[in-house]
Amino acid sequence: RACVKYMASERFFLSSQTRYRDAMAGYAGKIMKSAGETPSEFETSIAQALLELEATDLKAQLRELYISGAKEIDVAGKKVIVVMVPFPMQRPFQRIQARLVRELEKKFSRHVVFLAQRRILRKPTRKTRQKQLRPRSRTLTAVHDAILEDLVYPAEIVGKRTRVRLDGSRLIKVHLDKAQQTNLEHKVETFTGVYKKLTGKDVTFEFPSFE
């Protein structure tokens, strides 16, 4: 009888270990970090949430998608989740982004934004030799503009101007499509805070009417 109990407990242990390995393999496939980097506990929680969503009607869209990172940013005393996705996967993610944001915000009780992973290349100098010209999409200005577009998606930026204050500091005023005002107006403070944290630049968002 003792032997039977031991064998039963051993089977339970092995099956639980198998389930654990399967789970690890599952959400490990939803996040791909740079070589040698290990996902943080927070990143793992986001990957696990995406794996759970893959078990819903989003399976076909999410099956081949994964994120490259995630972090929390403090904005006006509140936590905001920033999810980074590989640039080649941005379009597929955007097709279901509204649903993903809604589900993740429901689960984590905080605002969620998706950004594509982009790399800024330094401006070449006389001392640096480059075999090819730096693509415009890799410049500081282009990447910062792209972050703005990612933040407010699916709203379209319909206008933008820069105001120079008396102290020499700059404020970017971004005009968004008024059709998205109801959906995004409650998030403009989040967008402003995240953009400031990521770029160091001040920005405000408005939904002007053009008549």
Side-chain angles (χ1 to χ4, degrees), residues 41-200:
E41 184 178 345
F42 177 72
E43 289 175 324
T44 299
S45 69
I46 299 297
Q48 175 64 36
L50 291 175
L51 184 63
E52 292 171 0
L53 287 174
E54 192 175 313
T56 67
D57 56 311
L58 292 173
K59 182 176 182 179
Q61 297 96 320
L62 271 175
R63 185 187 295 119
E64 303 298 328
L65 299 182
Y66 57 85
I67 63 174
S68 55
K71 59 184 176 180
E72 288 184 300
I73 292 180
D74 288 312
V75 174
K78 298 179 181 179
K79 296 284 189 181
V80 178
I81 297 175
V82 178
V83 181
M84 307 302 297
V85 304
F87 180 75
M89 293 187 178
Q90 184 183 31
R91 288 293 178 85
F93 262 109
Q94 285 183 337
R95 295 189 188 105
I96 54 174
Q97 184 168 312
R99 171 79 179 277
L100 292 180
V101 168
R102 185 166 64 251
E103 296 293 342
L104 291 177
E105 289 183 344
K106 186 190 306 180
K107 182 177 180 66
F108 293 97
S109 300
R110 58 200 62 184
H111 285 168
V112 176
V113 296
F114 279 78
L115 302 177
Q117 190 84 48
R118 295 181 176 87
R119 181 185 173 194
I120 298 173
L121 294 181
R122 293 182 179 181
K123 188 176 181 179
T125 63
R126 293 180 179 179
K127 294 182 180 181
T128 59
R129 297 180 179 180
Q130 291 186 322
K131 296 181 179 180
Q132 60 183 12
L133 295 176
R134 178 180 61 160
R136 185 186 178 283
S137 61
R138 296 290 186 88
T139 64
L140 180 70
T141 300
V143 171
H144 285 184
D145 286 346
I147 291 174
L148 267 181
E149 295 176 357
D150 290 355
L151 276 175
V152 302
Y153 185 86
E156 182 181 352
I157 296 177
V158 296
K160 184 170 63 174
R161 60 192 179 90
T162 302
R163 174 188 172 190
V164 181
R165 302 189 182 103
L166 293 176
D167 61 359
S169 61
R170 295 172 180 269
L171 174 66
I172 304 171
K173 290 192 173 185
V174 177
H175 293 170
L176 300 177
D177 181 8
K178 193 169 180 61
Q180 292 291 334
Q181 183 171 2
T182 303
N183 297 327
L184 296 180
E185 191 170 30
H186 66 291
K187 285 189 173 183
V188 293
E189 185 178 12
T190 293
F191 297 157
T192 297
V194 170
Y195 192 72
K196 176 72 173 180
K197 290 277 188 179
L198 295 179
T199 69

